[in-house]
Amino acid sequence: MAPPSDPILTDSRGGDVSDAAPRLAASAAEAPDATLGVRRTKKQATRNRVIDAARELFDTQGYQGTTIREIARHAGVSVGSVFTTFASKGEVLSQVMADRLDGLYAELDRVMPHLRGATIERLRTMFAIHFAFEVKHTRLFLAHIAAAYDWTLPSTATPMGKNQRLQGIIRECLDKGVAEGDVEADVDQQEVTDLLMAAYAWVYRLAAWNDADAPAMTAVMDRQIALIAAGFRPRG
Amino acid sequence: MMHTAKIQAVGDMPVKAPTRRALAKQQTRAKVLDAARQLFSEQGYEGATIRDIASAAGMSTGAVFANFTDKSDLFREIMLTDMTALAESMREAASHGTGAEESLLKIFVAGYRFYQTQLPLARAAFSVGWSPQDGPALRAAGPVQTMLNLFTEQLTKGVQAGELTQDDQSALRTQMLFDAYLANYDQAIFQGWTIEALQSRSRDQIRILLAGVRRG
């Protein structure tokens, strides 16, 4: 693995940066001097409690196994107050994931421009960062994927497939490879991206069902990336 | 599966006639399965309840529970029936392909054709397939293993025919082909892609995934 990724892996494994950061920022922005401010702070506190409870429940019971009623009970708030902020459990999950992934993507935005080496290595490092970040919550991630197939999901929710951030990062990686001459310019980048996304999702399934750790997840993904890379290597 | 079971029962008559009670039980199961298939297609896995299924089948929830342990049991039975039939048509389709790439493509397309008219049910299957409770069992189901074996067979035949080089990643390649096949259902379910569009995308994906073992 490329050296730049090492401190990142340790950082993200060490603490739940993504959970804490956006919440602190949000409550700091509230002005508690006016009544309106107090109400807003209160609402924010309820929202945070709901998010925390939901994260735990989705992570242990999956998407289907979690209900709004349970989330409310777990958070110690009324069902009604959950519904004042979120229209459905799909939306709660979207928010849980958005809060988590904001931290991850901020980290990736910081790291990716500094990565050197072949495209295959840059892709491997990028996914290794994902797995190190998510390894303790692989079931949460599966819930995120399963939510995409829920009938009752409102269009405002953002399940896995709708998240364009990761796809964008992969495409930048491939573009850089084309520029540097180790990715075939004629290859359909969308198809390569989709194959990588499918492989990525598969690794979560493996991890959640077989209790794989981050190094095991990374090892499997590395092999899958190598297999896909054979398909985008320059021809001739 | 219910239909074959019924025909078999009639054929077996001279040897051992099923009791009237066994026949009635079988008819009840068939009625429940029909109603469940309908409701899962209309409301998804989440939306369909045992109570609705019972009422659509014209019986009590108790009668449903006498035949199936729960909703996931019911759904699994429907899936297994479909996937057994699908694995069979995939094998048939593969036998008409020349070469690994084309045979694999025919397998993919056989799947998309099979679910073309029942995409809502496919969507429900994905919802269940990703769940920690029912996912592993669905993935380990017999017909799924049959499909995976069919993918591997095409790779092996490709090696034997000299089209592909010896592959030490055959298991991984099989799994990735299968996942690519499954992932394309998203395009069908959410974006209304036609069979032709799915086919063209699948062909490119198969080419990418076979590139490492292609000879020459």
Side-chain angles (χ1 to χ4, degrees):
Chain A
M1 202 57 54
S5 71
D6 291 343
I8 302 304
L9 293 181
T10 333
D11 276 352
S12 42
R13 209 181 280 138
D16 263 347
V17 195
S18 66
D19 298 340
R23 216 180 306 137
L24 285 178
S27 41
E30 310 288 351
D33 45 8
T35 325
L36 197 69
V38 172
R39 201 181 306 152
R40 215 182 295 148
T41 313
K42 242 178 158 171
K43 195 176 169 191
Q44 186 65 37
T46 304
R47 184 186 166 284
N48 290 342
R49 261 157 70 188
V50 169
I51 294 285
D52 287 344
R55 183 172 49 242
E56 208 177 307
L57 285 171
F58 283 126
D59 201 14
T60 48
Q61 304 180 20
Y63 182 71
Q64 290 164 14
T66 304
T67 63
I68 287 269
R69 215 168 46 210
E70 264 181 302
I71 294 172
R73 196 164 46 86
H74 210 70
V77 303
S78 68
V79 173
S81 64
V82 177
F83 278 115
T84 55
T85 321
F86 300 102
S88 67
K89 70 169 175 178
E91 234 167 82
V92 181
L93 179 57
S94 292
Q95 196 53 53
V96 166
M97 291 309 289
D99 284 2
R100 283 188 60 74
L101 294 179
D102 274 353
L104 171 64
Y105 290 128
E107 205 165 89
L108 283 171
D109 284 346
R110 200 160 47 77
V111 175
M112 290 309 286
H114 302 292
L115 289 188
R116 297 282 169 268
T119 301
I120 178 170
E121 287 309 323
R122 282 183 284 115
L123 285 171
R124 283 173 163 172
T125 304
M126 190 267 287
F127 281 109
I129 294 172
H130 275 81
F131 297 136
F133 192 88
E134 292 284 352
V135 66
K136 280 183 286 182
H137 301 283
T138 49
R139 279 174 164 236
L140 184 61
F141 204 89
L142 288 191
H144 185 45
I145 298 175
Y149 301 101
D150 181 3
W151 244 245
T152 56
L153 197 73
S155 53
T156 43
T158 50
M160 157 102 169
K162 286 195 186 175
N163 189 332
Q164 299 293 318
R165 286 293 287 278
L166 176 56
Q167 295 208 30
I169 293 171
I170 294 174
R171 228 166 285 137
E172 274 171 35
C173 234
L174 293 172
D175 281 339
K176 195 168 168 181
V178 171
E180 294 182 352
D182 75 346
V183 172
E184 168 64 45
D186 283 345
V187 85
D188 189 320
Q189 290 201 9
Q190 186 59 50
E191 267 148 19
V192 172
T193 304
D194 289 343
L195 286 174
L196 286 167
M197 296 283 286
Y200 171 62
W202 157 258
V203 172
Y204 281 99
R205 178 146 49 179
L206 178 86
W209 294 357
N210 302 330
D211 283 327
D213 57 8
M217 291 168 84
T218 303
V220 173
M221 189 66 195
D222 282 359
R223 286 174 60 206
Q224 301 198 87
I225 293 172
L227 210 150
I228 294 168
F232 64 62
R233 200 175 289 141
R235 292 162 201 143
Chain B
M1 210 159 89
M2 280 327 294
H3 296 296
T4 18
K6 247 187 263 176
I7 290 161
Q8 225 165 11
V10 174
D12 285 348
M13 226 108 62
V15 188
K16 188 188 170 200
T19 61
R20 191 179 301 178
R21 210 167 131 193
L23 273 178
K25 192 177 164 78
Q26 223 165 51
Q27 277 167 3
T28 306
R29 281 179 70 89
K31 248 159 75 184
V32 174
L33 285 167
D34 281 349
R37 175 183 288 275
Q38 184 74 26
L39 279 168
F40 284 133
S41 299
E42 283 167 7
Q43 300 175 25
Y45 185 77
E46 305 267 316
T49 65
I50 288 279
R51 214 168 49 209
D52 292 342
I53 292 168
S55 116
M59 55 186 76
S60 67
T61 49
V64 173
F65 281 121
N67 287 281
F68 301 93
T69 42
D70 54 17
K71 188 162 86 169
S72 78
D73 184 30
L74 244 177
F75 190 72
R76 192 166 39 240
E77 174 110 12
I78 293 172
M79 279 295 106
L80 286 179
T81 306
D82 284 1
M83 289 192 304
T84 305
L86 173 56
E88 196 43 54
S89 40
M90 280 179 163
R91 180 168 295 284
E92 162 71 16
S95 71
H96 296 297
T98 49
E101 186 182 307
E102 205 195 318
S103 303
L104 285 167
L105 184 60
K106 284 189 184 296
I107 294 174
F108 276 49
V109 172
Y112 304 140
R113 276 194 213 290
F114 187 90
Y115 279 108
Q116 189 178 20
T117 52
Q118 39 181 0
L119 280 177
L121 207 59
R123 181 172 174 172
F126 282 109
S127 166
V128 173
W130 284 105
S131 91
Q133 289 84 13
D134 301 319
L138 194 59
R139 184 83 183 199
V144 174
Q145 293 307 313
T146 307
M147 289 180 203
L148 286 167
N149 292 342
L150 196 56
F151 279 82
T152 309
E153 266 171 45
Q154 308 317 310
L155 295 175
T156 312
K157 277 187 198 158
V159 175
Q160 284 162 356
E163 181 191 357
L164 306 176
T165 59
Q166 198 65 42
D167 189 8
D168 59 351
Q169 306 270 353
S170 159
L172 185 72
R173 209 175 300 277
T174 294
Q175 173 232 300
M176 290 179 74
L177 284 163
F178 190 60
D179 276 337
Y181 156 72
L182 290 179
N184 290 342
Y185 277 99
D186 277 14
Q187 267 64 34
I189 293 169
F190 297 113
Q191 290 165 41
W193 278 30
T194 61
I195 298 278
E196 289 69 31
L198 290 168
Q199 175 166 342
S200 138
R201 178 187 166 94
S202 303
R203 182 181 288 117
D204 291 341
Q205 289 174 330
I206 293 168
R207 280 188 185 148
I208 292 172
L209 293 175
L210 292 189
V213 282
R214 193 176 300 284
R215 206 178 274 281

